[in-house]
Structure formats: C-alpha cells, structure tokens
Amino acid sequence: MGKEIERKYVVDTSAWKAKDAGTHFKQGYLNSQKERVVRVRIEGDRAKLTIKGPSVGVTRSEFEYAIPVDDAALLLDNLCEQPLIDKHRHKEVHGGKTWEIDVFHGDNEGLVVAEIELASEDEKFEAPAWAVREVSSDPRYFNSNLLKNPYRNWPKG
C-alpha cells in the first residue's frame, strides 16, 4: 500500500519569490469525501489519477496512476466536481529536501502553500524562513476542501 507523509505550510510571499515559471496544474475530484478522495490531475503535459485515504496525523494512503492526458481532460470537464483547482507548482530544495510550493489561481487566488514529503512522521527537517505556519492538520488547506470553501471566502485578518 502506498503512503504519503506530508507536512504543509503557509508561505510568506514577501519572503518567497518563484525562481521559474513552475508547472501548471489543473485538477478536479471525482470524489472528495473525508474518508477518501479520487483526484484527476493534469500537470504540464502529463496526467494522473490519484486515490487517497483519510489522514491519520500527517500520513495517509495514496495510490497514483498515470492516465492519458486526453482522458484526464474529459474527466475534468465532464465528471469532476466543479470548480476545478488551478495552480502553478514550483519546486525548491532547502536543507537537502525538496519543497513543492503551490501558487493558487481563480477562487483560491492569493493562497500560497508549501509541502514537504517525508519518510516518517518524526523525520527531522529544516523549514525555510518563508514557510511561516504549519497547516498540516487544518482541513481547510486540503485541495479537495478548497473546492467547497475557496480561499476567497475565508475571513481575512
């Protein structure tokens, strides 16, 4: 069984700037229940179908499969819950670990989140200065929940 162990942080955009154009991601959900999500994603010129189980701490089951881009486009347009998640992903290495920084667009414009995948929940790592607040356990930051409650609707302050 595949496992994803991931920590997530809000990014201080005054301290972090993209070093490249990043990769455009368009993703949607065939199922976004708390117990399981089934995601379709086009990332650049590739596509994937991903199935994730519920989070326990910062760990959850994850199964990911390559699918044809044309099939993914049809699924996104015709079967996925709407609206879709639209973002650019940037990758940076800090402290020997790869960080993925997602810059959201559309209804989630203004949200920038960084993720780091770990080998174990207790693995030590050095967070960059721009990773200012951990939100790994805050379900609002799950992409599947950003459909139902987009960032633009969150109270600011």
Side-chain angles (χ1 to χ4, degrees):
M1 175 173 17
K3 291 278 186 198
E4 173 186 62
I5 302 170
E6 182 178 84
R7 309 269 302 257
K8 190 177 290 205
Y9 291 80
V10 171
V11 172
D12 176 356
T13 56
S14 67
W16 176 83
K17 298 296 178 218
K19 296 181 174 144
D20 59 29
T23 302
H24 183 241
F25 279 45
K26 184 176 178 184
Q27 68 187 45
Y29 293 85
L30 296 168
N31 182 315
S32 63
Q33 296 176 5
K34 183 178 180 183
E35 301 79 24
R36 77 195 66 78
V37 296
V38 181
R39 177 184 73 205
V40 176
R41 174 188 278 170
I42 297 175
E43 48 185 81
D45 59 358
R46 298 176 308 173
K48 296 177 182 174
L49 178 70
T50 306
I51 303 158
K52 295 185 180 193
S55 294
V56 178
V58 294
T59 303
R60 62 183 171 175
S61 301
E62 179 183 59
F63 303 89
E64 194 162 70
Y65 308 95
I67 62 172
V69 172
D70 290 343
D71 289 358
L74 287 170
L75 290 167
L76 288 167
D77 291 342
N78 297 301
L79 295 178
C80 286
E81 301 168 12
Q82 298 294 321
L84 301 175
I85 297 291
D86 185 23
K87 63 186 179 182
H88 273 80
R89 173 165 287 172
H90 305 268
K91 292 186 178 187
E92 290 192 20
V93 175
H94 180 83
K97 300 294 277 179
T98 300
W99 288 76
E100 297 176 336
I101 302 99
D102 289 342
V103 179
F104 289 86
H105 309 297
D107 288 346
N108 293 297
E109 186 79 34
L111 180 61
V112 181
V113 176
E115 300 172 348
I116 182 173
E117 289 205 20
L118 303 170
S120 67
E121 286 205 13
D122 59 355
E123 180 181 347
K124 303 291 184 220
F125 63 93
E126 176 188 331
W130 42 258
V132 293
R133 181 169 44 94
E134 184 170 6
V135 293
S136 302
S137 299
D138 187 337
R140 294 179 304 162
Y141 290 89
F142 294 170
N143 282 262
S144 57
N145 288 337
L146 290 171
L147 298 175
K148 299 171 190 116
N149 185 21
Y151 183 69
R152 74 174 183 173
N153 294 342
W154 296 9
K156 303 298 184 252

